Amino acid sequence: MTSVEVRKHLVHALGTDLVGPDCDCTDLHAEVLPQAPSRWYLTGFLVPIDANEDEKSDEAAAEGVDELGKGSGVDDEATPEPAAARKVYFPSSMGMSLLVPKEAKELRVTVGWGDYLPDGITEVTELVARLSGPTLTSEGVPIEGHEVTSLLKRWRRKERSEKLTLKVPTTTKVEPPKPVPGSDGLEVVLSVRPVKDIPAFDGLVPRGTRSVSVFLVNRRKPVGDASVRDAAFAFQAALDVRCEVPFVPRPNLRGLESNEWDERVADLQYRDVCEYAVGHGVSTRAEMEAGDCRTVYTRWIPSAEVERVAPAAMQGVELRMEELAALPDAATASAKLSGLVTQYREWIDKQGANVPAKPKPRKVTAQQLLHNAGHAAKRIEAGIKLLADPLVFDAFVTANKVMAVAARRRLGPIAGKKLEDVASPTWRPFQLAFLLMNLDGVVNPTHADREVVDLLFFPTGGGKTEAYLGLAAFTLVYRRLTHPGLTGAGLSVLMRYTLRLLTLDQLGRAATLICALERERLQSADRLGDWPFEIGLWVGRGATPNDMGHKGHKDTTYTARARTIAYKNDPKGKPSPIPLEDCPWCGQKFTANSFNLFPNPDNPTNLRITCTGRDRPCDFQRNNPLPILTVDEPIYRRLPCFLIATVDKFAAMPWTGPVGGFFGKATRHDKDGFYGPCDPNAGVPLPGPLPPPDLVIQDELHLISGPMGTMVGLYETALDELCSRDVGGHKVRPKIIASTATV
C-alpha cells in the first residue's frame, strides 16, 4: 500500500468517526448506534430550524478539558484561565455559492442524508404517537410514552438520497423553497444574482455570469421530546450540484484588488488553481473533467492536497557537501558553483514568457517578481565572488565539511545505519543558493543585505532547516577565524521561537551540527580557538531547569540538582532533567548515568551530559561531555555560541543581569566561563570585547502574525538595540533570516 493510499484510508476513517458513513460506506448504511447519534458524531448534521434552544444547543460544548499537571514539560507553573462559558448551537442549514455562465438553464441537485430512529420504529410519526400517550405493542399490550426510553438504547440508520432539478433564473431572485421528496421537511433554497462587470477582472469572468447559492434547510417539525430530538435531525447532510455547462471559476477578489504584496503574489502564482465553489457552514470539493468543472459537492471535513516539491537536476553545479569541503581554492569554487547563477538566470528568462498580459495587477506583480529574482541572482553571484577572500573561503569549506559530517551522523548512526552506508550528503539547489546569497550580509557588517530579512518559504520536509543551519555553520566558523582566541567566543547565532515545543524538536538537529563543529575545533584549535563550540537551550523551567540548585536549596522540584537526583533514583518514574532522549551524535538512548552534576552533587555548577550507550562507539563519552547546555546558570556563564530560545525568556532581561553577556557585555573570564558587571571580581579581564550576536534565526515566522507576535514585538526593539553595534559610524545589526512552511 502506497503512502497516498494510506493517507486516503486515514482521512476516510476520520470522516467516518466524526461525521458518519458516506456514500462509499455501503456496509454502514444501516448501522445501529448504542446511543443518540448527536452524541456519537460531532458534526455533519442539521437540526430543525424551529427547534427550541435546548434542542439546538450542544450541551457538551461547555465541558472543559483537564488541565495539564505540573511537570508536563510544556508550561511553567501557570494555571490557564478558564474559557468563557457560551452556548454552541448546531446548524440548521448549509450550502454553497458558485458561478454559472449565461448558458446555464438548470442545476441538478442531489440531496443525501441519513435518518436515525430508535430501533424498532420506522417512521417519525410512529415515534410521536408513542410519545403522545398510550399505544399498543404488536401484541396489543398497552405501553406508556415514558417507556419509549427503553427503545433509545439503539438507533438505526436509514440511508436517504433524493434528486431535484432547479431552474436558474436570469435575474436576481430568491426562488421559493423546494421540498425534498419524502424528507418530511427538508428544503432546498436557490438564490441568484448577476455578477457585476469589474474592470480589474477583465477577461476572468464572462459577461452574463450569475452567482448562485444553493442551501439545504431542515424545516422538519421538532419531535418535542429532548430524549428523541435526533429523530428530526438530518445526519451526514450532503449536496451534490451538477450543471450541463462548466461552472465559471471564482476570481480571487482579494488578491487582484489588494495592496498587500503577499496576497498579490499568491494570486499570480496560483492563477491556474481555481476555486469553483465556496461553502456556507461546510466545505466544498470540485470534480474536474478534462479541465472543466461541472460537479461540485459538499464535504464536512475540509481537505487539500499539497504537492511535493522536489529539486530539479542541475548539470555542471557541484552540490555534494564533501566535494565542496575539499575545494582547493576560490577559482575552483567559482568554476564549480557559477552554473548555479547561469541556470537560475536562464530559468528567469523563461519565466518572462509566462507573464500574463491581463489583468494588469497580475502583470505588474509578475514583472516585480522577475526583477526580485534577478536581484537574487546578483546576490548569489556576489557570494561566489566573495569566496576569493581566504577567510570566507576557509569558513565556506569548513561549513560544508561539518554539515556533511552532521548529515552522515543523522542519516547513519542516529537512524540506525552504518556511516559507510549513507550516500554522499548533497545540498538541494535552493539551500546552497540561500547560503551563497547571504554571505555578503554576514561577512560585511555595513552591506545593504544586512538590513534585509531573508525568508525561507518552503513546504514541510523541503529542507529549510539544513539551509539555515548551513548559514549558521558558516557564521560560527567565520567568527572564530576573524576573532582569534577568546574574542571569538560568546553568543553568535540566536535562534528564536514563539512556541516551546518547536524548540525541543529542533534542538537535536542543531546539537548534531554543534557536535560536528566541536570535533572540528579539537582537530584545528589553532584556527578555531580554545573555547568550545556549545549549544544552549534557553526556555522556561517547565522544560529545562533555570537553577543548578545545591544541597539544602528551598526548591526541591525544578532545580537541575533535584531533577537529576530524582531521575537517577527512579529513571522509569521521573522525567529526564533535559528534553533530549537520545544522543545527538550516535542516536543511543540516554540513561540515568548520562547526567552528572559537576564538580559534585552537593554544590554543582554545571550539568554534564555524556553518552553511555554501548551498542556503538560515540565520541562524547566518559570525560568528553556533549557540548549541550540546558540550565540557565551555566548558559549565562559559558555563553554558548548557538542559543535556541523562546521569546518569553527575554522578559527576564531587565531583572537578570547575566543576560547581558549574550549581547557582548562580558568583560572578564576564567576557565569556567565569562562574567560581566554583575560579577566584577570574577576571573581576569578579557583581551577584547566579545561581539554581540551575528545571526538571528526566526523559525516558524507565521506564528508572529497573531497574538504571540504582538507579545514578541514588545521585546523586539530592545533586542535590536542590544544586538547592535557601531562600526565606522554605521549602526550594525545582526543578520536576520526567517523560516516558515505556512502561508
Side-chain angles (χ1 to χ4, degrees):
M1 184 178 292
T2 66
S3 59
V4 174
E5 292 172 332
V6 171
R7 181 183 63 185
K8 183 178 179 180
H9 282 291
L10 288 174
V11 172
H12 185 267
L14 178 66
T16 304
D17 185 52
L18 298 180
V19 180
D22 57 19
C23 58
D24 296 327
C25 295
T26 55
D27 55 331
L28 296 178
H29 281 178
E31 67 173 351
V32 178
L33 302 180
Q35 65 181 122
S38 63
R39 298 287 291 175
W40 190 268
Y41 296 122
L42 297 183
T43 188
F45 53 86
L46 304 178
V47 306
I49 198 169
D50 296 325
N52 60 45
E53 186 174 302
D54 291 337
E55 291 183 31
K56 296 176 70 172
S57 61
D58 183 2
E59 58 198 38
E63 296 176 1
V65 296
D66 294 335
E67 293 179 359
L68 291 171
K70 292 181 180 180
S72 63
V74 179
D75 291 310
D76 294 342
E77 293 180 284
T79 302
E81 297 182 3
R86 61 175 183 175
K87 281 196 172 184
V88 177
Y89 293 94
F90 296 129
S92 295
S93 66
M94 63 89 169
M96 67 174 78
S97 292
L98 37 82
L99 301 181
V100 299
K102 62 181 180 180
E103 296 82 10
K105 305 299 181 184
E106 62 183 27
L107 299 176
R108 296 193 299 274
V109 179
T110 301
V111 181
W113 77 98
D115 281 332
Y116 288 82
L117 290 170
D119 201 17
I121 295 179
T122 58
E123 299 292 340
V124 176
T125 53
E126 179 185 351
L127 179 63
V128 173
R130 289 202 180 192
L131 291 170
S132 62
T135 187
L136 299 177
T137 66
S138 58
E139 290 79 17
V141 180
I143 66 171
E144 298 298 327
H146 64 84
E147 294 179 357
V148 173
T149 54
S150 63
L151 302 171
L152 303 183
K153 295 180 180 179
R154 291 163 57 88
W155 289 74
R156 186 175 295 276
R157 183 180 188 274
K158 184 177 181 180
E159 175 78 6
R160 302 298 306 274
S161 179
E162 298 291 343
K163 298 182 181 295
L164 299 87
T165 300
L166 305 178
K167 298 294 183 181
V168 181
T170 57
T171 58
T172 301
K173 189 175 183 180
V174 177
E175 291 286 287
K178 191 163 185 176
V180 178
S183 66
D184 295 326
L186 299 185
E187 296 178 346
V188 173
V189 180
L190 182 73
S191 174
V192 179
R193 58 187 175 87
V195 176
K196 296 180 180 179
D197 293 330
I198 302 176
F201 305 150
D202 181 30
L204 298 179
V205 180
R207 294 184 179 275
T209 298
R210 290 157 290 171
S211 174
V212 177
S213 298
V214 182
F215 285 91
L216 175 63
V217 184
N218 186 349
R219 291 196 176 274
R220 288 174 167 174
K221 183 179 179 180
V223 176
D225 189 304
S227 62
V228 290
R229 63 176 186 174
D230 291 13
F233 291 10
F235 290 87
Q236 296 94 41
L239 284 174
D240 185 307
V241 181
R242 301 172 185 265
C243 187
E244 292 184 356
V245 294
F247 293 118
V248 177
R250 298 172 58 86
N252 182 358
L253 305 179
R254 187 171 67 181
L256 281 172
E257 292 189 320
S258 176
N259 292 323
E260 291 289 336
W261 175 247
D262 287 346
E263 291 181 355
R264 291 175 59 185
V265 171
D267 168 71
L268 172 70
Q269 293 182 335
Y270 294 94
R271 63 190 181 278
D272 297 327
V273 181
C274 301
E275 180 186 57
Y276 288 92
V278 60
H280 303 292
V282 70
S283 69
T284 61
R285 190 84 169 171
E287 190 174 288
M288 304 301 297
E289 299 174 2
D292 291 329
C293 174
R294 290 179 169 84
T295 303
V296 179
Y297 48 88
T298 58
R299 282 292 179 267
W300 287 98
I301 298 181
S303 65
E305 292 186 3
V306 178
E307 295 181 348
R308 180 175 177 267
V309 178
M314 300 191 72
Q315 301 298 326
V317 179
E318 184 57 75
L319 298 173
R320 292 171 295 177
M321 297 177 184
E322 291 166 336
E323 294 298 320
L324 292 172
L327 290 172
D329 50 49
T332 306
S334 178
K336 296 284 187 178
L337 298 173
S338 294
L340 191 65
V341 180
T342 303
Q343 294 181 51
Y344 183 34
R345 284 177 170 153
E346 291 175 354
W347 178 86
I348 294 172
D349 292 339
K350 291 179 181 178
Q351 297 304 306
N354 297 327
V355 174
K358 58 181 182 179
K360 186 177 179 180
R362 284 184 181 170
K363 180 179 180 180
V364 173
T365 303
Q367 291 171 339
Q368 183 61 48
L369 283 174
L370 291 176
H371 173 77
N372 294 348
H375 180 64
K378 291 179 180 179
R379 291 180 60 187
I380 298 170
E381 187 175 42
I384 296 173
K385 291 179 179 178
L386 200 61
L387 296 178
D389 183 321
L391 292 181
V392 176
F393 178 77
D394 191 353
F396 178 76
V397 295
T398 304
N400 275 277
K401 181 179 180 180
V402 295
M403 285 295 294
V405 171
R408 281 196 178 274
R409 303 300 303 192
R410 190 173 64 256
L411 300 175
I414 294 178
K417 300 179 181 179
K418 296 181 180 179
L419 280 174
E420 54 269 25
D421 293 338
V422 178
S424 178
T426 303
W427 292 108
R428 298 186 183 186
F430 88 91
Q431 295 170 335
L432 184 56
F434 183 79
L435 171 59
L436 291 169
M437 71 183 291
N438 278 289
L439 293 187
D440 246 335
V442 172
V443 170
N444 300 317
T446 58
H447 196 278
D449 288 352
R450 191 81 164 206
E451 295 292 315
V452 176
V453 177
D454 283 294
L455 173 64
L456 279 162
F457 178 36
F458 228 71
T460 300
K464 298 184 299 298
T465 301
E466 285 72 22
Y468 63 64
L469 286 181
L471 183 60
F474 173 87
T475 304
L476 292 169
V477 174
Y478 186 74
R479 175 162 170 158
R480 294 294 179 100
L481 295 175
T482 54
H483 294 78
L486 283 175
T487 58
L491 177 60
S492 178
V493 178
L494 173 60
M495 192 170 175
R496 302 185 307 196
Y497 283 89
T498 46
L499 291 177
R500 189 172 304 154
L501 289 178
L502 296 171
T503 66
L504 307 184
D505 178 60
Q506 295 293 351
L507 174 62
R509 301 171 76 174
T512 304
L513 171 62
I514 297 302
C515 288
L517 279 165
E518 177 57 11
R519 285 186 72 254
E520 179 68 15
R521 185 196 66 81
L522 291 173
Q523 298 169 11
S524 306
D526 56 326
R527 294 168 49 246
L528 301 177
D530 295 324
W531 192 256
F533 285 105
E534 293 175 312
I535 185 170
L537 181 63
W538 195 43
V539 296
R541 70 176 186 174
T544 61
N546 288 358
D547 304 310
M548 285 302 307
H550 54 79
K551 188 175 182 178
H553 197 282
K554 61 181 180 179
D555 187 345
T556 60
T557 303
Y558 287 104
T559 65
R561 179 179 182 272
R563 285 191 176 189
T564 303
I565 293 175
Y567 183 67
K568 283 179 172 291
N569 292 334
D570 185 11
K572 295 183 178 180
K574 298 296 183 180
S576 169
I578 71 167
L580 274 181
E581 297 181 352
D582 307 323
C583 173
W585 190 245
C586 70
Q588 297 181 94
K589 290 285 184 184
F590 286 138
T591 67
N593 294 327
S594 297
F595 308 103
N596 296 284
L597 299 167
F598 181 84
N600 61 75
D602 290 341
N603 293 284
T605 59
N606 197 4
L607 174 61
R608 286 191 172 180
I609 307 164
T610 56
C611 178
T612 56
R614 299 179 180 179
D615 295 340
R616 58 187 81 104
C618 183
D619 296 313
F620 296 95
Q621 293 183 330
R622 300 180 181 85
N623 295 324
N624 189 28
L626 286 156
I628 301 174
L629 305 174
T630 60
V631 186
D632 286 10
E633 286 183 16
I635 286 176
Y636 297 146
R637 186 176 64 254
R638 298 190 64 82
L639 301 181
C641 62
F642 195 121
L643 186 66
I644 300 180
T646 46
V647 290
D648 59 300
K649 290 294 289 188
F650 290 103
M653 289 190 298
W655 295 281
T656 309
V659 173
F662 293 159
F663 309 105
K665 306 303 179 183
T667 56
R668 307 176 71 83
H669 77 98
D670 61 18
K671 63 181 180 62
D672 294 321
F674 301 88
Y675 310 94
C678 293
D679 300 287
N681 299 318
V684 297
L686 281 165
L690 299 183
D694 304 296
L695 179 67
V696 174
I697 304 171
Q698 179 65 61
D699 205 356
E700 306 297 345
L701 180 69
H702 61 278
L703 291 175
I704 72 170
S705 64
M708 287 187 292
T710 303
M711 296 301 296
V712 173
L714 295 175
Y715 303 106
E716 192 63 32
T717 302
L719 285 171
D720 179 69
E721 186 65 29
L722 289 170
C723 290
S724 300
R725 64 187 187 274
D726 184 82
V727 176
H730 295 277
K731 185 176 182 178
V732 176
R733 299 178 172 87
K735 174 64 182 177
I736 300 178
I737 60 175
S739 169
T740 184
T742 303
V743 177

